[in-house]
Amino acid sequence: MTVKSIAKVALVLTLVTGVAYAEETEDTAEATAKPESVAAPLPGIGALNMDAPPPGIGAPPGAAPMGRVAGEPPTGFQGPLAKVGEALDRAGIELDLTYLDIYQNAPNFGFAGGSSGNFGAFIAAAKLNLNEHLRFNITETVNRPVHNVDNYMFEISNAFFPLPVVDSATDLTRFTIAVDSPDHRVTVEAGRLPFALDVARGKFCSGFGCVNSSKAINLNFPGETLSVWGAKLTYKLDPDTRFNFAIAEDNEDNWQNGNGWDWGKGKATGTYVLANLYHDENPMTTAYPLRYEVGAVYRSSPYEDALYNSGFGNPGFPVAPTVEEHDGMGMIYGQIRKTVWDQDPLTPAGQQLAVYGGLFNTVGSGVSYPWEAYAGVEYSGFLPQNPMFTIGTTLHYIQLSKKRAAYERNARRFISGIDESQPRDTFQIDLHAWTPIGDSAFIEATAAYIINPNTTVLSDFSSARLNDDWVFGINFAWQFGKSLGLTRRGRS
């Protein structure tokens, strides 16, 4: 079975949460087989909002909009196709066009070493406003250009990099109808939703550290550019805070295969249910902005035990393995970011220091990765000629359960006869830098050192553990709809 998942672009989507997918408010082994299921984010980018970039991509909280030192962000349609953009706007059509390019290189890390992969994507989103309270949304993702993504996934895959296989040239990301209450505080949206967007958002820092793995490697979420049948309710408690509740079908065969338009394919094995509270203060109006998310998610589908499953690491394999199946698992989590120092609170462009962290606990019998956490700091505004240039570092932690560690040890022993234990505590330390390019693009560079990495995809085929080493990444995002004049600047 080919695989897709949280990021066929997690990157893509945590990255584009504020753009095309905006919410309505805004080797020692060789791979001899492909896994049955891998859901995971390409780590590396936070959230993208080019008018007032949130701290999710390293943009300093309180910073001025891209390309400006202070004052209000540019508004209206500006670019060679501005008249087309204005005409579409008069017709009630809003466009968001984004290009993403994600490059990663592991010079020595992985089973082969010297592996690299590149993932590009064009994301086109359109919103048709039928009236003041009713609209139709559609988003399509074109997964091109790509290079060596499949091989790269198998060679370096671990809990921090559970990368997906891209099995289609395009993906339907959103196809929904949304309706607002008369006071615009309540929004209900239903149809084909990118459900993973609303869970453990990757908007709290730049680099690899804030991209959540648990919803992929534990909960088997679909990728953030992949849609499933579902419905979502959003209630705005105040301008900065909203409560989200969503429910969606768990139909793995459907989202893992095809381009998203095969709506009748597969059969649902359960449901996903989500509830969370998300708070995000405007850095243009708040001197020390605060961002937080607290929530819970539940997946009702049955899943195999981390140790007593159908793989090579089962203690009874291959003679008489006992396979245990459990019903339902959940995750409770919280994450926060706060600007704790500002050289000049009266201006949005100055030296600033922000701290952030998150904690995720997956609850259920026989889960593989019960705990995940991260913490870090980012510093910005120290270059007068580029006040939005940001540097930072993040420590990311994932704990294997006793059963998962035993499973990987057993699997290696079965394949090679070598008895080598797997540490349960795994760490990733990254250094990252971020800068805008003009007012509609950014580039980000990250270097991450992985300590005690496990093996996810190749656990049943590896003859030795992965060694500690470096992974490097460069990410580029361009919201070219604004550059062309097809997207209104200053629109949330």
Side-chain angles (χ1 to χ4, degrees):
M1 179 184 296
T2 54
V3 184
K4 290 182 175 181
S5 108
I6 288 187
K8 181 157 35 128
V9 239
L11 271 186
V12 165
L13 248 231
T14 29
L15 179 132
V16 187
T17 313
V19 189
Y21 309 113
E23 298 192 25
E24 292 311 313
T25 59
E26 12 115 42
D27 154 292
T28 47
E30 295 185 3
T32 58
K34 291 188 178 181
E36 283 300 309
S37 172
V38 176
L42 284 177
I45 301 183
L48 177 61
N49 183 319
M50 290 304 181
D51 289 323
I57 48 174
M66 286 187 178
R68 301 176 66 87
V69 175
E72 294 300 316
T75 59
F77 295 90
Q78 301 177 17
L81 300 179
K83 291 187 180 299
V84 176
E86 292 170 352
L88 290 172
D89 188 62
R90 288 192 296 270
I93 300 172
E94 301 176 25
L95 292 181
D96 280 306
L97 305 175
T98 303
Y99 173 69
L100 310 172
D101 194 85
I102 301 152
Y103 172 80
Q104 290 186 9
N105 191 303
N108 298 298
F109 185 71
F111 288 112
S115 180
S116 64
N118 190 86
F119 180 89
F122 288 90
I123 303 110
K127 181 189 299 183
L128 173 59
N129 295 289
L130 303 174
N131 58 46
E132 184 182 357
H133 302 285
L134 183 66
R135 61 196 167 277
F136 167 72
N137 308 285
I138 183 170
T139 302
E140 185 78 4
T141 299
V142 180
N143 303 308
R144 294 292 184 270
V146 296
H147 171 70
N148 201 40
V149 175
D150 291 13
N151 290 337
Y152 185 72
M153 164 188 137
F154 289 114
E155 290 167 5
I156 80 159
S157 186
N158 60 81
F160 296 107
F161 295 90
L163 308 184
V165 173
V166 180
D167 77 334
S168 60
T170 63
D171 282 312
L172 176 65
T173 300
R174 187 188 297 269
F175 192 90
T176 65
I177 287 289
V179 59
D180 297 328
S181 64
D183 61 1
H184 292 278
R185 296 188 68 181
V186 179
T187 298
V188 176
E189 183 180 10
R192 298 286 296 188
L193 287 166
F195 182 76
L197 271 183
D198 295 308
V199 181
R201 297 164 174 85
K203 300 178 65 173
F204 287 76
C205 74
S206 187
F208 294 167
C210 293
V211 179
N212 178 265
S213 287
S214 293
K215 61 182 180 180
I217 56 181
N218 281 329
L219 294 163
N220 195 39
F221 263 46
E224 292 182 348
T225 58
L226 306 175
S227 58
V228 293
W229 289 113
K232 177 179 71 172
L233 180 147
T234 300
Y235 175 64
K236 298 179 186 177
L237 283 76
D238 58 47
D240 300 324
T241 312
R242 59 184 180 266
F243 170 78
N244 300 284
F245 176 82
I247 185 168
E249 73 165 1
D250 183 7
N251 185 343
E252 185 178 293
D253 286 343
N254 187 274
W255 63 260
Q256 284 195 351
N257 301 278
N259 58 17
W261 293 95
D262 307 318
W263 295 347
K265 187 173 186 175
K267 182 179 179 180
T269 58
T271 58
Y272 294 103
V273 181
L274 156 73
N276 64 33
L277 189 69
Y278 182 61
H279 178 87
D280 187 11
E281 295 175 358
N282 188 343
M284 296 303 296
T285 59
T286 307
Y288 298 92
L290 169 69
R291 170 179 290 168
Y292 65 80
E293 179 187 5
V294 291
V297 62
Y298 179 74
R299 180 192 183 211
S300 67
S301 297
Y303 62 94
E304 290 189 356
D305 189 81
L307 178 60
Y308 296 98
N309 56 51
S310 55
F312 295 172
N314 188 312
F317 188 87
V319 181
T322 298
V323 177
E324 294 182 2
E325 194 172 80
H326 308 285
D327 290 322
M329 71 166 69
M331 182 176 73
I332 54 176
Y333 67 94
Q335 47 186 349
I336 187 170
R337 178 186 177 107
K338 174 70 176 175
T339 298
V340 295
W341 176 74
D342 193 328
Q343 183 186 33
D344 185 357
L346 299 180
T347 177
Q351 296 184 54
Q352 299 169 352
L353 191 70
V355 296
Y356 49 85
L359 182 64
F360 311 84
N361 180 210
T362 301
V363 181
S365 299
V367 299
S368 295
Y369 307 92
W371 291 99
E372 179 176 9
Y374 71 85
V377 60
E378 289 184 340
Y379 176 48
S380 60
F382 55 91
L383 293 179
Q385 66 274 29
N386 185 2
M388 291 193 66
F389 182 79
T390 300
I391 59 175
T393 182
T394 307
L395 173 63
H396 191 174
Y397 169 79
I398 296 179
Q399 182 193 70
L400 280 66
S401 66
K402 292 180 180 179
K403 285 187 171 183
R404 177 65 195 188
Y407 179 88
E408 295 195 18
R409 180 178 186 173
N410 292 345
R412 280 193 287 267
R413 185 167 50 200
F414 173 78
I415 288 292
S416 65
I418 299 174
D419 188 4
E420 186 179 29
S421 63
Q422 170 64 49
R424 293 181 58 201
D425 299 316
T426 65
F427 303 89
Q428 177 193 79
I429 304 172
D430 88 10
L431 302 172
H432 56 264
W434 176 94
T435 186
I437 303 174
D439 64 356
S440 59
F442 74 81
I443 191 168
E444 174 188 87
T446 306
Y449 192 75
I450 318 298
I451 302 172
N452 294 336
N454 74 317
T455 50
T456 49
V457 175
L458 293 180
S459 59
D460 286 351
F461 308 102
S462 62
S463 58
R465 285 179 48 211
L466 285 170
N467 293 322
D468 300 355
D469 221 303
W470 292 91
V471 175
F472 302 93
I474 297 177
N475 306 305
F476 170 75
W478 176 29
Q479 198 173 359
F480 66 94
K482 288 186 177 181
S483 299
L484 293 174
L486 294 173
T487 303
R488 179 190 295 275
R489 297 171 184 266
R491 187 183 71 210
S492 60

